[in-house]
Amino acid sequence: MSEIADQPHARRAARAIDALRRGWPFRVTGADGTLDLLAVESARDTALADFGSKDLLLSGERAVTLKLTNQRPAATPGPVRLAGATDSVAAALAIADPALDLAHPLKGPFQTIATGGEAAASAAMTMARHAGLLPAFLVREAKGAAETQCSVEDVAALLDPARLEIAARARLPVEASETAEIVAFRSPEEASDHVALVIGKRDHNPPVVRLHSECLTGDVLGSLKCDCGPQLHAALHAMADAPWGVLLYLRQEGRGIGLVNKLRAYALQDQGYDTVDANLRLGFPVEARDFAIAGRMLELLGIPRIRLMTNNPEKVARLEKEGVEVVERIPLALPTNKYNEQYLATKRDRTGHQL
């Protein structure tokens, strides 16, 4: 698809995601059906009354938590539709938000039915994650005219990393290196800009590269619940000691689920769930980040071969899938504290991290 043809696709998806955030209904069309949707988290009861449907659409992960997958329509992976599940936004949130599970432990019984459009339902879940909202919608078959609509192909076009381009670059002296350069990357319809920090003098050797997903709580506020801040600073100093290096700072807070949902996951951790189960209870996959963005950033920087600084072998595989040659994996070992010991143990035991 050409860039010119791609633009209207991405714009339609961007408008639909804006409607999702604002609590407005929108329509998604797929090859197997068309759905009208209203995001539970941003909806109001007046909008729900106008929408005229009591059916809920939840992610497959949330359906597992609610023990719905023993019903035939919910037995296959993917979003699940509950017939007549709610008559108010508060009731819908009690089903969709796991932070309310203790306050509303008795849910259902629910009847699952066909979604009416598997492709459209899956695209809606992707849109919710992109918007940083809970993956839960009021849903109905398409009815009448739609003020805002997009297709499954529109959503794919919006999230296509090929739309990412270099927007600006400048010299940026930092603590680890006074000769660093910062490079900003932007997609036309996106609000979040990714950045790369290039440290040292470029030569023919593959640079030390660190993929670092944005972590406001760790990078800025000094949270002790994770090791993100210390990892960020240790990586920068390691790059300064190498011939050269590149930090790719990806705006994918909370492993791709957004800041608000990450804080919801923190609240679930306080109830005893680990990071993996917290994400699943929220209705998200364990890993929701898009590493194709990092591959595109390296392509734009003209860097085909790297030495990747990570404890996560999956990052190696994901980058190699994007055409980046990882010639070496460099582990990053840091001390733990009493607040992040369980978090780091979960990464080791359940997501394959290793030194």
Side-chain angles (χ1 to χ4, degrees):
M1 184 180 293
S2 71
E3 182 179 351
I4 293 176
D6 196 30
Q7 288 177 357
H9 282 278
R11 288 171 184 167
R12 284 193 293 267
R15 292 189 188 103
I17 288 176
D18 183 61
L20 184 161
R21 290 192 182 105
R22 295 174 183 271
W24 298 341
F26 62 98
R27 179 170 294 172
V28 181
T29 301
D32 59 348
T34 300
L35 299 175
D36 287 343
L37 299 144
L38 182 66
V40 167
E41 185 175 347
S42 56
R44 299 293 181 268
D45 282 328
T46 52
L48 175 56
D50 292 339
F51 192 69
S53 174
K54 297 181 179 181
D55 290 3
L56 273 182
L57 185 71
L58 303 175
S59 71
E61 290 85 356
R62 184 62 178 158
V64 170
T65 295
L66 296 175
K67 296 180 171 54
L68 299 173
T69 51
N70 61 335
Q71 298 185 35
R72 185 179 297 274
T76 57
V80 173
R81 182 170 175 173
L82 310 183
T86 185
D87 55 7
S88 70
V89 172
L93 279 171
I95 299 169
D97 188 349
L100 302 175
D101 284 349
L102 292 179
H104 302 275
L106 300 178
K107 296 179 172 67
F110 298 118
Q111 178 188 359
T112 63
I113 59 176
T115 61
E118 293 293 331
S122 294
M125 297 301 153
T126 299
M127 294 167 72
R129 188 170 68 247
H130 191 72
L133 299 181
L134 289 168
F137 297 88
L138 280 303
V139 61
R140 70 184 185 198
E141 278 69 37
K143 182 173 67 175
E147 183 174 339
T148 306
Q149 58 185 327
C150 68
S151 68
V152 170
E153 292 75 20
D154 294 335
V155 176
L158 177 66
L159 304 181
D160 184 357
R163 297 184 62 73
L164 202 67
E165 297 291 347
I166 293 177
R169 59 200 311 163
R171 187 177 68 86
L172 182 68
V174 296
E175 180 188 4
S177 172
E178 296 182 2
T179 60
E181 180 191 29
I182 189 167
V183 185
F185 301 80
R186 173 180 291 168
S187 295
E189 295 81 15
E190 291 278 50
S192 297
D193 301 327
H194 306 281
V195 298
L197 190 69
V198 182
I199 290 177
K201 186 176 181 180
R202 183 168 182 158
D203 60 22
H204 65 280
N205 294 306
V208 173
V209 171
R210 170 73 181 169
L211 272 61
H212 190 90
S213 297
E214 178 181 34
C215 179
L216 174 69
T217 50
D219 299 342
V220 178
L221 303 179
S223 167
L224 298 177
K225 285 179 67 70
C226 65
D227 58 347
C228 298
Q231 279 193 337
L232 172 62
H233 296 289
L236 291 175
H237 284 282
M239 291 173 191
D241 292 336
W244 71 298
V246 181
L247 173 78
L248 300 181
Y249 196 85
L250 309 178
R251 305 296 298 280
Q252 301 189 86
E253 183 86 44
R255 287 180 169 261
I257 67 175
L259 176 61
V260 173
N261 285 320
K262 183 178 83 167
L263 299 186
R264 290 185 172 119
Y266 279 180
L268 291 174
Q269 290 168 34
D270 289 340
Q271 295 178 19
Y273 298 101
D274 65 24
T275 52
V276 169
D277 287 333
N279 272 31
L280 294 174
R281 291 187 73 85
L282 281 165
F284 294 109
V286 176
E287 177 59 86
R289 288 174 292 185
D290 183 359
F291 293 110
I293 293 172
R296 173 62 174 168
M297 293 167 73
L298 290 170
E299 177 187 0
L300 291 171
L301 291 171
I303 302 173
R305 302 171 68 245
I306 66 171
R307 301 167 61 207
L308 185 63
M309 180 174 288
T310 183
N311 298 333
N312 185 0
E314 184 184 356
K315 282 187 180 180
V316 176
R318 296 281 288 273
L319 277 181
E320 289 181 334
K321 183 180 178 182
E322 300 302 324
V324 179
E325 183 183 352
V326 180
V327 300
E328 180 185 4
R329 183 180 74 84
I330 304 172
L332 184 58
L334 293 170
T336 63
N337 64 61
K338 65 179 181 180
Y339 298 101
N340 68 15
E341 284 177 341
Q342 183 60 43
Y343 163 78
L344 296 175
T346 299
K347 290 208 294 185
R348 180 195 64 220
D349 298 338
R350 301 197 64 183
T351 59
H353 284 60
Q354 56 187 254
L355 296 178

